[in-house]
Amino acid sequence: MANSDSGPAIPLSVVILAAGEGKRMKSALPKVLQPLAGRPLLAHVIDTARSLQPAAIHVVYGHGGERVREALAREQVQWTLQAQQLGTGHAVLQAVPKVPDDHVVLILYGDVPLLSRQTLLDLLAVAGPRQVALLTMIVSDPAGYGRIVRDGQGKVQRIVEQKDASAEERGIRECNTGVLAAPAGLLRHWLEGLKADNSQREYYLTDVIAMAVKAGVAVNPVACADPVDALGVNDKVQLAFLESVCRHRAARELMLAGVTVADPARIDVRGRVTHGKDVFIDINVVMEGTVKLGDRVRIGPGCVIRDAQIGDDTQVLPHCVIEGAVIGPGCNIGPFARFRPTSTLSAGVHIGNFVEVKNSTMADGSKANHLSYVGDAQVGARVNIGAGTIIANYDGANKHRTVIEDDVHTGSNSVLVAPITIGAGATVAAGSTVANQVPAGKLTIARARQTTIESWTRPTKQKK
Ligand code: UD1
Ligand code: CA
């Protein structure tokens, strides 16, 4: 909702411009789909727009059209095609007829992803039925931006694009961020009157500022507190810079919330991390999706953790890849362990080096310490999966389940051919390949018997 000076709040509609090609990205992927902190640029903008609870969010798309819509199909937005990119004013004009005249329209850019909710609320606070709010920024190098031209009393008069600016105007350091909020009916009227009589032969959205002034509608500039927030992405250099901003902000948030981060420059959070107290995260850790860390969790260097939950006091040693796992409290994971979706470990489970766990459950105190594959298995409590044990879950066509009951020990290098149940307390001898049910409480051996050939002599090299 936007505010007028007096009277009730005015309904808000957001228009996001996302039709540009982004030539300078030199990529087959449309610019607004380039990922920042693990999500498309446009998704960040839609999120921020949604946080304002508008009546509607309109996205103007063009380049990479269907791909953009498909990638963001789950977003609750209205799509408007701008078939030809004739300028920012033309782009807004494609969507604005869909907005009721009594709304305030907030215009955002699909490639300006870091604007905060608060900045936009500050802007909307000075928009109204006869007020245009304009987000500006003061920058040391204004090259490329539209400049804000004020009159003798400091009132905003118009915006002049760099390419159309006089030498004197180019010296202005107060620039247009591109973001503005205006009454929908008047905006539509002004946009319909735009002319492309400028150096780029484009319909400039920025020309509506002079039209507002002419119509006696107040133009209220709001300076963006941190110009970094208003930065756009045009090339991979700027994309990497914004990524570093995201990285820094995420690390800072974690640290202020009590997490010890070994080096805030070497942690990547591309999603949402929640955590308990006294968590430690070593260098070069990447966290994606939704990650939940309990109290006193320690994550070693070089781990990649995606959509996972890690219980209190669990240690993850260096270089583990954990995806789609729920790991209980007091577990020891790694180094060099890999979890594929989806696994659940109870308390005190140990998963050691070069062990892969997939779609399995493991109950309290079970261990797979070395070089194993645990796939499609239900593992009981206190099981010891010996070094090199492989669960052969796949027959070349279908996957089958394995049940390993409590207190089972499998010897080194055993192969458990699924579907199979290993009874409680059973021991499978080292080197066995078991394909039939293994009875509880007994030793089962399934390997060739050891024999010694008494008469054998080692061949010797024949003399020529
Ligand atoms: C625009 C502003 C400039 C401002 C700058 C801030 C105008 C005329 N100029 O310039 O004052 O300082 O942004 O970054 O508005 N787009 C469409 N359809 C089009 C043209 C553009 O959807 O036909 C979209 C682009 O995808 C992009 C945004 O509008 O998201 C801005 O377009 P761009 O061409 O980059 O404008 P600038 O020249 O940077
Ligand atoms: Ca731009």
Side-chain angles (χ1 to χ4, degrees):
M1 295 278 169
N3 285 318
S4 59
D5 278 346
S6 55
I10 305 161
L12 171 68
S13 286
V14 178
V15 173
I16 301 175
L17 302 191
E21 178 178 8
K23 279 202 191 85
R24 282 170 284 170
M25 299 303 283
K26 306 212 159 93
S27 169
L29 188 66
K31 175 157 85 170
V32 291
L33 294 185
Q34 301 277 334
L36 173 71
R39 311 180 54 226
L41 288 170
L42 182 54
H44 290 264
V45 182
I46 292 173
D47 272 5
T48 314
R50 179 150 301 123
S51 77
L52 303 168
Q53 296 175 289
I57 299 173
H58 299 269
V59 179
V60 180
Y61 72 104
H63 260 281
E66 286 317 305
R67 235 176 127 182
V68 173
R69 285 188 65 155
E70 266 164 39
L72 296 162
R74 286 200 315 218
E75 301 284 352
Q76 290 289 316
V77 298
Q78 325 274 321
W79 297 95
T80 299
L81 179 67
Q82 184 195 23
Q84 263 187 304
Q85 280 70 62
L86 301 179
T88 48
H90 179 261
V92 177
L93 187 56
Q94 308 311 300
V96 121
K98 299 180 181 173
V99 177
D101 278 357
D102 61 345
H103 282 211
V104 157
V105 178
L106 172 66
I107 294 161
L108 301 176
Y109 287 7
D111 59 356
V112 179
L114 295 186
L115 278 173
S116 71
R117 176 172 184 268
Q118 191 54 53
T119 297
L120 297 177
L121 287 176
D122 292 348
L123 186 74
L124 290 172
V126 296
R130 291 199 62 80
Q131 300 175 85
V132 172
L134 182 65
L135 189 67
T136 69
M137 57 181 174
I138 313 255
V139 293
S140 48
D141 177 15
Y145 290 112
R147 310 296 207 281
I148 309 293
V149 181
R150 294 183 184 242
D151 68 8
Q153 284 96 54
K155 285 206 162 139
V156 173
Q157 291 302 295
R158 59 192 173 90
I159 297 175
V160 61
E161 291 303 298
Q162 156 111 4
K163 287 184 179 144
D164 306 296
S166 66
E168 195 190 333
E169 287 165 342
R170 287 184 187 196
I172 299 171
R173 286 176 41 226
E174 186 183 12
C175 294
N176 176 29
T177 63
V179 172
L180 61 83
L186 286 174
L187 180 63
R188 185 171 45 76
H189 173 72
W190 294 329
L191 290 172
E192 283 163 356
L194 282 181
K195 294 199 176 64
D197 53 0
N198 50 58
S199 63
Q200 304 189 76
R201 305 255 127 254
E202 282 183 8
Y203 297 93
Y204 287 169
L205 170 65
T206 44
D207 286 350
V208 303
I209 297 301
M211 291 167 146
V213 170
K214 203 171 159 204
V217 171
V219 175
N220 301 323
V222 173
C224 192
D226 184 353
V228 166
D229 283 7
L231 286 181
V233 175
N234 295 308
D235 57 32
K236 293 286 171 90
V237 176
Q238 289 166 327
L239 183 63
F241 179 71
L242 290 201
E243 186 72 40
S244 76
V245 171
C246 290
R247 185 184 306 129
H248 185 82
R249 286 182 179 177
R252 188 182 148 79
E253 241 173 66
L254 286 175
M255 293 184 293
L256 289 175
V259 174
T260 303
V261 173
D263 179 357
R266 286 183 292 172
I267 178 172
D268 281 75
V269 176
R270 303 176 192 145
R272 217 176 104 70
V273 177
T274 54
H275 56 84
K277 285 205 174 352
D278 297 308
V279 167
F280 172 76
I281 302 175
D282 215 323
I283 59 164
N284 294 337
V285 170
V286 178
M287 289 185 280
E288 298 182 329
T290 305
V291 173
K292 200 171 163 194
L293 308 175
D295 290 336
R296 298 169 300 280
V297 164
R298 295 180 70 84
I299 309 288
C303 291
V304 178
I305 303 175
R306 181 180 304 125
D307 293 319
Q309 203 173 310
I310 299 179
D312 296 349
D313 299 297
T314 286
Q315 287 211 37
V316 180
L317 297 168
H319 301 292
C320 293
V321 178
I322 299 175
E323 183 177 3
V326 177
I327 297 176
C331 293
N332 256 329
I333 309 296
F336 304 105
R338 178 174 184 206
F339 287 84
R340 286 159 55 205
T342 23
S343 293
T344 302
L345 308 190
S346 302
V349 173
H350 290 195
I351 299 295
N353 34 218
F354 309 108
V355 174
E356 177 178 340
V357 180
K358 187 214 81 172
N359 190 30
S360 294
T361 59
M362 292 176 75
D364 289 358
S366 284
K367 295 176 182 166
N369 272 328
H370 328 268
L371 302 153
S372 283
Y373 177 54
V374 180
D376 300 309
Q378 177 190 327
V379 179
R382 300 170 302 280
V383 168
N384 196 330
I385 294 180
T389 296
I390 301 296
I391 296 181
N393 59 326
Y394 184 52
D395 61 15
N398 297 298
K399 305 263 166 69
H400 302 281
R401 298 283 306 166
T402 293
V403 176
I404 303 178
E405 294 179 352
D406 294 348
D407 301 298
V408 163
H409 288 190
T410 68
S412 297
N413 214 33
S414 44
V415 179
L416 317 180
V417 181
I420 191 169
T421 297
I422 317 285
T427 299
V428 176
S432 294
T433 295
V434 289
N436 301 315
Q437 304 313 324
V438 174
K442 301 205 163 97
L443 170 67
T444 296
I445 308 179
R447 65 184 185 219
R449 227 170 231 293
Q450 180 169 333
T451 55
T452 301
I453 315 293
E454 299 292 346
S455 60
W456 184 80
T457 52
R458 186 180 290 166
T460 51
K461 244 188 191 161
Q462 291 190 352
K463 295 206 174 82
K464 285 181 191 157

